[in-house]
Amino acid sequence: MSEAGADDVRHRLTNGRDAAFDWMPSDAPREAVATALMAFANTRTGGQLLIVADSEGHLHGVADGEAALDRALSAALTLTPPLILPVPRIVDVDSRRAVLVTVPAGMSHVYSLNGRYLVRDGGASIPLTPPAMRRLLIERGDITYEAEPARDAN
């Protein structure tokens, strides 16, 4: 990663978690990684997940960058439908290796994990409310407005 990119990661870690950025340790369970990726994918703006910072946002480095990269991609594929992502990048920040996973904005599906649907709200992943889920399904074309039952129809 260029020094400008490393500066961006440092800056984002200093500013903390938000709707488009989060981090987790390299030993985070695959389900935790999948849950974070799902929440970004169900958000209009997408987001980035940095794998290798502790819960306080301190960089620790990954011992095996390729294995961490593979775990991130594997986690994305556990979602329903499988989340296809750009290849995550192994980045060097302060002589420590990390994996930066980018979920692009404007994904075309609504993603779930084990029947749960989450979205980013500030720095947290929260369950989609029924009205928000319906709106997201319509926006992404998973259902059409015309397929909805007419309100107050007898």
Side-chain angles (χ1 to χ4, degrees), residues 17-57:
R17 292 177 164 97
D18 62 29
F21 184 74
D22 202 351
W23 60 79
M24 59 184 47
S26 60
D27 62 352
R30 186 171 68 166
E31 184 171 326
V33 175
T35 298
L37 296 175
M38 169 190 37
F40 285 130
N42 287 338
T43 304
R44 285 185 184 98
T45 59
Q48 291 186 314
L49 179 66
L50 183 70
I51 299 175
V52 73
D54 65 13
S55 61
E56 302 301 316

Side-chain angles (χ1 to χ4, degrees), residues 2 5 13 19 21 27 46 49 62 81-83 87 93-94 98 104-106 112 123 126 130 143 147:
S2 70
L13 283 168
F21 184 74
D27 62 352
L49 179 66
V62 291
L83 177 60
V87 175
V93 180
D94 300 330
S112 69
I126 63 168
I143 62 172

Side-chain angles (χ1 to χ4, degrees), residues 37-38 41 72-88 101-109 111:
L37 296 175
M38 169 190 37
L73 289 174
S74 172
L77 294 176
T78 66
L79 298 176
T80 304
L83 177 60
I84 307 303
L85 295 172
V87 175
V101 185
T102 299
V103 178
M107 300 303 291
S108 59
H109 297 287
Y111 297 89

Side-chain angles (χ1 to χ4, degrees), residues 50-133:
L50 183 70
I51 299 175
V52 73
D54 65 13
S55 61
E56 302 301 316
H58 301 113
L59 289 169
H60 289 284
V62 291
D64 186 347
E66 293 297 325
L69 189 145
D70 288 343
R71 281 185 66 227
L73 289 174
S74 172
L77 294 176
T78 66
L79 298 176
T80 304
L83 177 60
I84 307 303
L85 295 172
V87 175
R89 293 185 299 152
I90 297 174
V91 296
D92 292 311
V93 180
D94 300 330
S95 301
R96 293 180 180 95
R97 296 176 82 198
V99 175
L100 186 64
V101 185
T102 299
V103 178
M107 300 303 291
S108 59
H109 297 287
V110 179
Y111 297 89
S112 69
L113 179 66
N114 301 325
R116 296 176 299 139
Y117 294 82
L118 302 178
V119 67
R120 290 295 287 187
D121 182 27
S125 298
I126 63 168
L128 272 167
T129 63
M133 181 178 295

